[in-house]
Amino acid sequence: MGLYAFNCSEKLQTVNIRRGTCGHSVLSLGSMKTQWIWNKEKTKIVEPLDYENVIAQRKTQIYSDPLRDLLMFPMEDISISVINRQRRTVQSTVPEDAEERAQSLFVKECIKTYSTDWHVVNYKYEDFSGDFRMLPCKSLRPEKIPNHVFEIDEDCEKDEDSSSLCSQKGGVIRQGWLHKANVNSTITVTMKVFKRRYFYLTQLPDGSYILNSYKDEKNSKESKGCIYLDACIDVVQCPKMRRHAFELKMLDKYSHYLAAETEQEMEEWLITLKKIIQINTDSLVQEKKETVETAQDDETSSQGKAENIMASLERSMHPELMKYGRETEQLNKLSRGDGRQNLFSFDSEVQRLDFSGIEPDIKPFEEKCNKRFQVNCHDLTFNVLGQVGDNAKGPPTNVEPFFISLALFDIKNNCKISADFHIDLNPPSVREMLWGASTQPASDGNAKGSSPESVIHGIAESHLRYIKQGIFSVTNPHPEIFLVARIEKVLQGNITHCAEPYIKNSDPTKTAQKVYRTAKQVCSRLGQYRMPFAWAARPIFKDTQGSLDLDGRFSPFYKQDSSKLSNEDILKLLSEYKKPEKTKLQIIPGQLNITVECVPVDLSNCITSSYVPLKPFEKNCQNITVEVEEFVPEMTKYCYPFTIYRNHLYVYPLQLKYDSQKTFAKARNIAVCMEFRDSDESDGGPLKCIYGKPAGSVFTTNAYAVVSHHNQNPEFYDEVKIELPIHLHQKHHVLFTFYHVSCEISTKGTTKKQDTVETPVGFAWFPLLKDGRIITFEQQLPVSANLPPGYLNLNDGESRRQSNVDIKWVDGAKPLLKIKSHLESTIYTQDLHVHKFFHHCQLVQSGWKEVPGELIKYLKCLHAMEIQVMIQFLPVILMQLFRVLTNMTPEDDVPINCTMVLLHIVSKCHEEGLDSYLRSFIKYSFRPEKPSAPQAQLIHETLATTMIAILKQSADFLAINKLLKYSWFFFEIIVKSMATYLLEENKIKLPRGQRFPEAYHHVLHSLLLAIIPHVTIRYAEIPDESRNVNYSLASFLKRCFTLMDRGFVFNLINDYISGFSPKDPKVLAEYKFEFLQTICNHEHYIPLNLPMAFAKPKLQRVQDFFSFAVDRLTSVDSNLEYSLSDEYCKHHFLVGLLLRETSIALQDNYEIRYTAISVIKNLLIKHAFDTRYQHKNQQAKIAQLYLPFVGLLLENIQRLAGRDTLYSCAAMPNSASRDEFACGFTSPTNRGSLSADKDTAYVSFQNGHGIKREDSRGSLVPEGMTGFPDQGSTGENTRQSSTRSSISQYNRLDQYEIRSLLMCYLYIVKMISEDTLLTYWNKVSPQELINILILLEVCLFHFRYTGKRNIARVHDAWLSRHFGVDRKSQTMPALRNRSGVMQARLQHLSSLESSFTLNHS
């Protein structure tokens, strides 16, 4: 703390010297320094107390205080908790031995990220560290308010109901011609004779209504009849009697019949009469209610008498009776408090509860939940049906096996957006046709029954072979997404030839038998080969909101064209499918029963695309649903940080051009077999990591593409899904083997020998890695006729020329095979810059001698990494950068360049609207690691130092502005690093002054000084950046209160506020109060202000002894701090600073005043609703802390209760009657009203001060003073600030400001203890005491109830004037002037020149 032990002038010089040493030369150093010095000279500096020393010195006093909870930070205020990762899966997606098998640093860090639980720093009372709207109480609004009915509201309702009836009592409401039936009991109802009469509907002076009829419009003549509507109970139409007729039903079961001339007139009369009937009914109900209440009042009159008896007992001299009377009064006092609402419950801000500025809860990273739907596959049938095998008694089925693959295609974006979902709907009898082929080694590498059944992630492999339900997900749904079903069958020959029996089926029985015989032969010989057969499609979504088209159906089956097999061809066909007139596709009759439905909420027994079971999952369940992998569009807005392990590679053979090869004599029915290998030696074999198809093994060693009959340039659409190993090396590759398949079948019914089925006709391969990264772009590969050992060394033309490997190329090593691949991995990146950076870090960690500048080069290259990769691997990349920041090298430029990369990532996330991921990273993923080097700095030390260095750079304005704009990220990182350091190193138990080294205090102070000029000088140039860093700095300092020396933080706050000036523009004033509001929202704001008594200096105590001797005799606390003195601001630093700045702001323009008042009021609302401080003694202590605020109001009393203010209140428009209000300021008769005038008589006050009494009205004025400067008084007893007050010097306060200030005043007066209030009254001057009571009368005036309609009208007018909007809000009663007595009384009060008091008329 010695760093700050100097006086104001020395401090000013030191601050500027430090600022100069920091070298903030973004602007001209001289001009910046001059302006700052000017600001500091204009701002009064009050040094805060040394908080930690005061706490230590007054430890005994604090611990013995019954309200010590208001003086002490609670124990265990901060902690670290480990939160288990919330997983969708039953078990972790990361393989058990993944970390041991991983060798790449990037892969290791990814696996560690997906395996590590969340590390969260918990602030025990964090819920109390925000605005009052964020308090954890149930509701700020009162749950149940008694429903009171006031006369003014009743009158308003009546006015609204009868506004269309009459403007005043005794007036004509409605008039017009009507036809009236002649009443004669001898005539039936339908024969009544109607006569035309002119009617007047009138309200009488007593409020009743009458309907008179005349011969014409001249109502001066005698009435022809009258109907008293008090006796009318209903009015109904009666069209059977006459057109536009209606009936008035009376109480005595008698009716009047009238008829209008038009339907519109009839409707108008009906509406008017029904309103009158309703008014009469309501009046009757109210009369009955008043009668009941009168009876109840009579019953309770005895209780009132009892209260009078209690009052008489109080005046008795008998001790027992006096004791009884006091106890009864105390009970009555307590009972009066029952049901009292919190004062602020009815404040407009509390009622509105605007949560727009409150940040949402920070959630951990999670898998993005896109639009999902479930596909259920039921049945596939063609029109060639028969009995197969032993199924003689069952229903007819397809006579040969068919295989379905489903995938989503996006026509709009011209791409495939999901992996293939393979389904086998063949009945068991049809599947048996393939069993002979399934034992072949080429099928899956394992003979059936050769080994026990394997288990995959706890699920038996047999349960995964025939999955018929899949869940697809779509990130960007729209109507042009189609679900495409491709149908395949066992290779037999030409597509047209094979489809002919299904299209031309003249004799179903013979055709079925013929097809079955052929299929049986083919399946036994070629069962592992597939050929394309047909396809169908259906739309999925109705709109872009993702509404499923549940009623959609698949199109007819279209025959596959062998020349249009690729995905691009399917996309073209789907585009034409939308235009039926252009579609000329051959249809194969058949039916595909596949339903699409929403995913059930309680879906169970589901597995991921990697076959990991999801919660909930039942053991031994066979009805399993699988998630089909989505190929998310490579757009930043669809990216999210990876949280699970997934490592899939999809390989697509596209086309083979074999039409010009001369190496092989026969190469037409070409089958492509794909294998994944880790060696190119002769003894190397394929890895069992390819996802198999239904009916086969879940994982297999090879996969075959479809075969096009007699096609030397075949196209393929097959997708091969590979589970990649955790560690990849240069030898990992995909091997393609091409076979010519013989499709000839012996006419004698016997197949050819097995060894003649397939003949190898070439080999091709592609290595997975190039420069350490997986290759996924489209490639064209040469084909070799043989496969010698070491073939991977022949990848490029140069190596082929220099190699000694004996290899024979097909067609001169031309690129004959076109392939592409797609990577869906959360542990491998394809970004070159990220790969090189991690690779270099791994070399350095392994002991490789680093080349100077090499790391900086790779750090700078990270600025070019893809934004999608940055987001997907965000935690991994950020954590590695923080390791580099503290561990990697002693080079000076490395931390700065590392921080610049961090700044680039943060800015990109904000630009893409993904800053929530940064907040999730800090809260859950970021865990500061202890540097490996012994002398290395910690993250919070290094990061703060590099921030200062970046702010020093004069050339890189862009970096400076970004750092200011996104400073919240770096401050949050620093805070978590500090907290983790304290807790993990057990430094939290040390005294706060010893927790962090003095050097770190210097760094934080330098950082503060580096920021100040960018806020106070560059605010106009960079408004967003300066506002953001102002708020971020406040939030950081608020957190520092919890972690470090609080007195040091006080000094930082003081230095920052000293950078502002009272003459600053409005923007800087807003910054200042936003800063203060954020600081004052600390969860332990009350203990920070130390609401306790501080002994006064010796000289002051002697003066108090002579000035307030009476106080000593009455045991009054002489240490009560009630004025905004320097001592008060020092002892209670934060509240003193806030009140001091508010005092200055009240003399400024409206916007600044509004901001300052809102901060104070919101803070008091927070205190009032804080569930930790609800005891009355606690609230009293808090209110006492704000006692100088009352003095602040007294200084501005002329603006609250002066002549101009009251006149402006009285000049508001009115629309009510004269007798609706009593006087707004009328005082109870048992006390004299307060005023001060020129003609006075002398009386004395109990505190010994002389008072003058004015004539018979009993107004009070302190002796020797008249109160205010316009009276020519220069009395020394008057507060100087009060005597300086003149409403002509200030802008007039508007109603919202006055009411907000008065609300704060009422809270303080209501909550403060009676003893403290008496002490305060005895300490203030008589005139100030009078003004205190005046404020209470002003409250009566401003908060009087003016009726619902007036409240809404006045408040809407205020909102419209100040915010330019028209919106309604519940609020405290608004000011509403009435004519008559109130108007005259206000004018009389305004005419009193001699005082501010409000006279009792």
Side-chain angles (χ1 to χ4, degrees), residues 1215-1319:
S1215 62
S1217 62
R1218 297 172 180 267
D1219 57 351
E1220 287 181 348
F1221 271 111
C1223 292
F1225 297 138
T1226 300
S1227 304
T1229 56
N1230 61 354
R1231 70 169 177 87
S1233 67
L1234 306 171
S1235 68
D1237 213 335
K1238 297 178 181 178
D1239 301 324
T1240 57
Y1242 184 81
V1243 296
S1244 63
F1245 244 17
Q1246 64 173 352
N1247 61 3
H1249 288 267
I1251 299 296
K1252 294 180 182 179
R1253 178 182 292 276
E1254 176 204 327
D1255 53 40
S1256 62
R1257 291 177 298 189
S1259 298
L1260 305 175
V1261 178
E1263 180 186 10
M1265 58 177 284
T1266 52
F1268 302 100
D1270 55 357
Q1271 300 167 347
S1273 171
T1274 58
E1276 295 180 358
N1277 293 336
T1278 309
R1279 294 168 61 99
Q1280 293 181 1
S1281 57
S1282 294
T1283 58
R1284 285 198 307 269
S1285 298
S1286 174
I1287 202 165
S1288 60
Q1289 298 176 8
Y1290 307 139
N1291 294 326
R1292 180 178 296 150
L1293 297 177
D1294 81 343
Q1295 278 211 55
Y1296 176 83
E1297 296 173 284
I1298 294 174
R1299 292 158 61 78
S1300 295
L1301 291 171
L1302 292 178
M1303 284 284 286
C1304 298
Y1305 172 70
L1306 287 175
Y1307 169 79
I1308 297 170
V1309 173
K1310 177 187 176 184
M1311 292 301 174
I1312 203 166
S1313 67
E1314 293 181 0
D1315 292 341
T1316 305
L1317 197 58
L1318 288 172
T1319 304

Side-chain angles (χ1 to χ4, degrees), residues 941-954:
E941 297 171 328
T942 307
L943 196 56
T945 305
T946 54
M947 289 174 70
I948 297 170
I950 292 174
L951 291 172
K952 285 170 56 178
Q953 299 177 8
S954 59

Side-chain angles (χ1 to χ4, degrees), residues 995-1006:
R995 292 181 178 180
F996 296 96
E998 190 67 22
Y1000 184 58
H1001 286 190
H1002 280 277
V1003 169
L1004 290 185
H1005 187 251
S1006 299

